[in-house]
Amino acid sequence: QVQLVESGGGLVQPGGSLRLSCAASETGFSIYVMGWYRQAPGKQRELVAGITSGGGTRYADSVKGRFTISRDNAKKTVYLQMNSLTFEDTAVYYCVAGLSIMRPGSWGQGTQVTVSS
């Protein structure tokens, strides 16, 4: 398994921005699909965004146009730039890695994002 360490969560006002980072320990990082899931209180965990080794991306409809996922294979890091945040974006965000974004083999510990006025 890949060890993943997230950072960048916090408290932000509606309309604000945050950037999450996820550093991976695996030397084979570049071959993995990377992504972010989130889980809000009382809700099921959902896929937010994913990025393939070649840079192909996918997003949940709820974040399209507001969130951007990117990766730096040299730094073994994946990022999630979140803009125009709303109350509904409040959740614990988990970095994931694996051969499939729908069934990732590795999960980070999660980082809290709270959107509040």
Side-chain angles (χ1 to χ4, degrees):
Q1 283 191 342
V2 181
Q3 290 190 337
L4 304 168
V5 179
E6 302 106 331
S7 61
L11 175 65
V12 64
Q13 292 185 338
S17 298
L18 281 176
R19 189 175 83 153
L20 305 182
S21 298
C22 173
S25 63
E26 178 61 48
T27 56
F29 169 85
S30 62
I31 70 171
Y32 291 114
V33 176
M34 303 293 297
W36 295 89
Y37 278 72
R38 68 185 179 185
Q39 187 166 22
K43 295 187 177 181
Q44 287 190 331
R45 193 172 292 181
E46 65 172 346
L47 174 64
V48 176
I51 185 167
T52 68
S53 57
T57 58
R58 64 180 290 178
Y59 297 93
D61 287 343
S62 59
V63 307
K64 283 180 181 177
R66 300 187 299 120
F67 290 12
T68 302
I69 189 170
S70 61
R71 65 191 292 165
D72 184 333
N73 289 338
K75 295 182 178 180
K76 295 184 289 184
T77 301
V78 63
Y79 306 97
L80 186 67
Q81 178 66 42
M82 305 185 294
N83 299 328
S84 302
L85 287 160
T86 71
F87 297 122
E88 288 69 34
D89 295 315
T90 295
V92 177
Y93 284 70
Y94 297 90
C95 178
V96 299
L99 299 180
S100 167
I101 194 61
M102 299 310 296
R103 300 185 69 178
S106 299
W107 292 73
Q109 81 284 358
T111 186
Q112 177 71 47
V113 172
T114 302
V115 183
S116 175
S117 55

